[in-house]
Amino acid sequence: MFDTHAHLTDPQLLEIESDLLDRATQAGVLGMVAVATDVNSSLACLKMAERHNQVFASVGIHPNDCHLAQATDWGAIQQLAQNPRVVAIGETGLDRHWDISPIELQNEWFDQHIALSFELQKPLIVHMRDCEADILQSFRRNQRDGRILGVMHSFTGTWETAQECLEFGMYISFAGMVTFKNAADLRDVATRVPSDRLLIETDAPYLTPHPHRGKRPNEPAMVRFTADCLAECRGESIEEIQKKTTLNAQRIFQISPSAE
Ligand SMILES: [Zn+2]
């Protein structure tokens, strides 16, 4: 399996780095993306990717952190993004739920991340919370040849939104939320996503999946609960889901299987 989204440099997880990676390997997690939220975590994610073959890095500024960004931060992100261990740009996107950074500022930063993704041909990791129309508007404004390169992370939107993202060529990643008892609508969306665009993630240390929900911080080994859930709702074997989602992750992040 491949965990496409884990905040591995979160202090809770950094503290247990080697145990966490051992448990991931034992669970069959062959690769993972350490996802950044600001310049410091971008640097930390890259360092972690340089320490471990199975860890790859993203660099970027989270929409809820962009009001804290300094003028020099974008230059630092652009520079870090060049590194071959950096496989994605983000986490970027928009968030109207917390509304911590002004939406205009979030949009400016999102546009910059999208431009960098095209420039380097590295996929975006897109956060979308309570702003499906804004995200689609941004994609329409920034697309090139009708395409946006990237991953809709921890997707919780409608099938209509998923469809439009798929038309731009994006991949849809599901986190532990899809396993929650009250998430029947989301499982319905997950069932409809074409198997060559489907991804799994933990969003660790957040969103611990059922049956561990609320009990402990999430970690990459637990991505298997999401894989199990997708297998069940899609009526496919667990092996099939694990294999397809891993191949999809290797394709979108341009990782050759031997690189892990
Ligand atoms: Zn995240």
Side-chain angles (χ1 to χ4, degrees), residues 17 75 95 111 126 131 134-135 143 153 196 201 203 210 246:
E17 178 176 322
D95 191 319
D111 288 358
V126 178
C131 58
D134 304 80
I135 289 277
Q143 51 75 30
H153 125 75
D196 62 347
E201 64 170 83
D203 203 12
H210 178 78
T246 301

Side-chain angles (χ1 to χ4, degrees), residues 26-236:
Q26 277 159 26
V29 181
L30 303 176
M32 59 196 82
V33 179
V35 176
T37 56
D38 59 14
V39 169
N40 285 338
S41 61
S42 295
L43 195 57
C45 286
L46 177 54
K47 281 187 179 154
M48 190 179 269
E50 284 171 340
R51 283 198 293 278
H52 305 285
N53 282 341
Q54 73 272 45
V55 178
F56 300 87
S58 83
V59 297
I61 312 251
H62 194 287
N64 292 338
D65 288 304
C66 60
H67 65 295
L68 300 172
Q70 308 292 310
T72 53
D73 283 2
W74 186 243
I77 295 292
Q78 283 176 305
Q79 191 144 35
L80 291 170
Q82 313 274 345
N83 190 294
R85 296 296 293 171
V86 173
V87 299
I89 307 300
E91 143 170 25
T92 182
L94 302 172
D95 191 319
R96 282 192 186 270
H97 180 78
W98 295 109
D99 204 18
I100 299 169
S101 306
I103 192 74
E104 299 76 22
L105 187 66
Q106 293 184 39
N107 262 306
E108 276 174 36
W109 282 90
F110 190 23
D111 288 358
Q112 283 187 293
H113 283 78
I114 298 175
L116 184 60
S117 154
F118 280 121
E119 188 191 315
L120 298 178
Q121 288 295 301
K122 294 185 182 186
L124 297 160
I125 294 183
V126 178
H127 170 104
M128 173 179 76
R129 188 133 186 221
D130 293 353
C131 58
E132 294 180 47
D134 304 80
I135 289 277
L136 293 174
Q137 232 171 48
S138 171
F139 287 168
R140 289 182 206 120
R141 185 170 71 238
N142 289 287
Q143 51 75 30
R144 297 190 190 170
D145 300 324
R147 312 284 290 174
I148 294 281
L149 187 65
V151 175
M152 296 303 292
H153 125 75
S154 188
F155 190 82
T156 55
T158 63
W159 171 238
E160 287 67 33
T161 299
Q163 259 180 312
E164 196 161 344
C165 295
L166 289 164
E167 280 163 26
F168 284 115
M170 298 198 72
Y171 288 60
I172 313 283
S173 184
F174 292 94
M177 240 127 51
V178 78
T179 69
F180 295 171
K181 285 200 178 79
N182 58 1
D185 290 350
L186 188 57
R187 278 189 290 280
D188 182 53
V189 174
T191 305
R192 298 192 200 195
V193 172
S195 62
D196 62 347
R197 301 289 192 83
L198 190 67
L199 296 170
I200 53 176
E201 64 170 83
T202 54
D203 203 12
Y206 316 109
L207 304 177
T208 304
H210 178 78
H212 297 291
R213 184 178 182 184
K215 289 179 203 149
R216 48 182 287 199
N218 199 358
E219 60 177 66
M222 289 203 242
V223 79
R224 71 185 174 89
F225 295 108
T226 299
D228 290 355
C229 170
L230 292 185
E232 193 182 321
C233 68
R234 292 169 65 95
E236 295 175 52

Side-chain angles (χ1 to χ4, degrees), residues 14-35:
L14 208 50
E15 204 177 82
I16 54 165
E17 178 176 322
S18 63
D19 288 347
L20 170 150
L21 292 172
D22 285 348
R23 283 195 290 271
T25 306
Q26 277 159 26
V29 181
L30 303 176
M32 59 196 82
V33 179
V35 176

